[in-house]
Amino acid sequence: LIMKSGFVTILGKTNAGKSTLINQIVKSKVSIVTHKQQTTRNAIQGIYNDEDSQIVFIDTPGILNPHQKLDKFMNKQAYGSLDGIDAVILLVDGGNPFNEEKDLPLLKTLTNLECPFFVVFNKIDLTNIFLINNLKKKYQEVFPNAEIIEISAIKNVNIDLLIKKIKGEF
């Protein structure tokens, strides 16, 4: 039996559910979950273990359009977590419509990644099929090679599927 292991960074805008996802994956509260923006100031790691794998998930500060020094620092922390990574999850709040002006510049910074890339739509329990389908179409245009998965981190929907897909990349 060969043990698979890897590092996965979770990126996304503030309040997309990154901390909730990490906590759900590792079945423990390792990340702060709050409605207050920018609670995660540094990369926090949660470790998922099962019989044949170990995956270190890195929860990052929410990516922002930088207006202040703190925002720039937070973005640097988030993007800095991409060094030596085996896969990246871009977590998207499935309840927020795509904003060409705000979202596209942030996404363009991720188009040259050379590792498996997952666009994960969270909060599917709080959105509708039209919004999700529109979001999927937009993100597929920007990331044609990304694996797209819909989840609800808080309700533990499709978390096992996400883990299975990630393990398949190692």
Side-chain angles (χ1 to χ4, degrees):
L1 180 71
I2 296 174
M3 179 76 140
K4 295 179 178 185
S5 66
F7 289 83
V8 177
T9 290
I10 303 176
L11 293 174
K13 295 201 315 201
T14 58
N15 289 337
K18 296 177 300 298
S19 297
T20 302
L21 177 58
I22 288 246
N23 291 342
Q24 190 68 258
I25 288 170
V26 302
K27 311 265 186 274
S28 176
K29 290 201 177 200
V30 293
S31 277
I32 300 168
V33 177
T34 175
H35 292 292
K36 186 175 174 226
Q37 289 195 346
Q38 296 306 104
T39 311
T40 304
R41 294 277 168 108
N42 299 298
I44 293 173
Q45 298 179 356
I47 301 172
Y48 168 87
N49 288 296
D50 65 17
E51 59 282 342
D52 64 346
S53 65
Q54 182 174 66
I55 306 169
V56 178
F57 286 90
I58 301 161
D59 183 6
T60 60
I63 300 171
L64 298 165
N65 288 310
H67 300 294
Q68 305 165 349
K69 278 187 176 171
L70 179 62
D71 297 346
K72 288 183 175 130
F73 168 77
M74 305 292 249
N75 283 355
K76 190 175 175 190
Q77 288 288 110
Y79 290 123
S81 69
L82 296 173
D83 294 337
I85 276 313
D86 297 301
V88 173
I89 294 172
L90 176 61
L91 195 66
V92 178
D93 183 337
N96 290 339
F98 192 81
N99 182 324
E100 205 84 28
E101 187 184 326
K102 288 183 178 174
D103 295 345
L104 218 46
L106 294 174
L107 298 179
K108 292 287 187 201
T109 59
L110 300 172
T111 53
N112 295 329
L113 291 176
E114 295 183 14
C115 63
F117 189 76
F118 298 86
V119 177
V120 177
F121 294 101
N122 190 21
K123 305 183 184 182
I124 58 168
D125 52 312
L126 303 176
T127 189
N128 65 63
I129 190 80
F130 303 108
L131 184 53
I132 276 288
N133 284 342
N134 189 36
L135 282 169
K136 281 166 55 173
K137 194 174 118 213
K138 290 284 190 189
Y139 279 85
Q140 198 76 70
E141 287 170 14
V142 180
F143 305 109
N145 299 324
E147 175 96 37
I148 292 184
I149 301 171
E150 297 174 29
I151 68 163
S152 170
I154 204 148
K155 296 202 171 176
N156 200 13
V157 174
N158 284 346
I159 305 299
D160 291 344
L161 174 67
L162 178 61
I163 297 286
K164 184 178 165 200
K165 298 270 188 186
I166 290 167
K167 283 169 53 174
E169 295 294 338
F170 296 153

